[in-house]
Amino acid sequence: MEAWWEWHGTDHPLLMALACRVLTQPVSASSCERNWAVWDTVHTARRNRLGSEKCKDLVYVAHNWKVVHNWHMADEGAGVVSAYIR
């Protein structure tokens, strides 16, 4: 793929650089899976009457609580900080 851009993309160097960076990124669904896991925790059978805004707010709080918790654990040397934090 990069060879194609080097051969055909010389007239558009900015587009070539952007395309090479974007198209060579590894694809992973792990962040989506983490988000769905939080949604499953928030929206249970007992809480199925929650509105979408309330669910969204609870997922936001739960996710950020976990991020802050991991941050503090890493500062104490007892945990691992997610790659997107630092």
Side-chain angles (χ1 to χ4, degrees), residues 1 10-11 15 24-26 29 38 53-55 67-69 76:
M1 178 183 56
T10 55
D11 293 337
L15 179 62
T24 58
Q25 293 295 316
V38 174
E53 284 298 314
K54 185 64 129 178
C55 282
V67 167
V68 170
H69 178 72
E76 296 172 6

Side-chain angles (χ1 to χ4, degrees), residues 42-56:
V42 168
H43 196 263
T44 62
R46 297 184 82 186
R47 293 191 219 163
N48 66 354
R49 298 173 121 193
L50 290 175
S52 60
E53 284 298 314
K54 185 64 129 178
C55 282
K56 186 178 78 168

Side-chain angles (χ1 to χ4, degrees), residues 7 25 60 63:
W7 182 259
Q25 293 295 316
Y60 178 81
H63 176 74

Side-chain angles (χ1 to χ4, degrees), residues 17-30:
L18 179 66
C20 288
R21 286 193 67 171
V22 169
L23 296 175
T24 58
Q25 293 295 316
V27 178
S28 174
S30 59

Side-chain angles (χ1 to χ4, degrees), residues 6 9 22 35 59 78 82:
E6 289 172 3
V22 169
N35 186 34
V59 166
S82 300

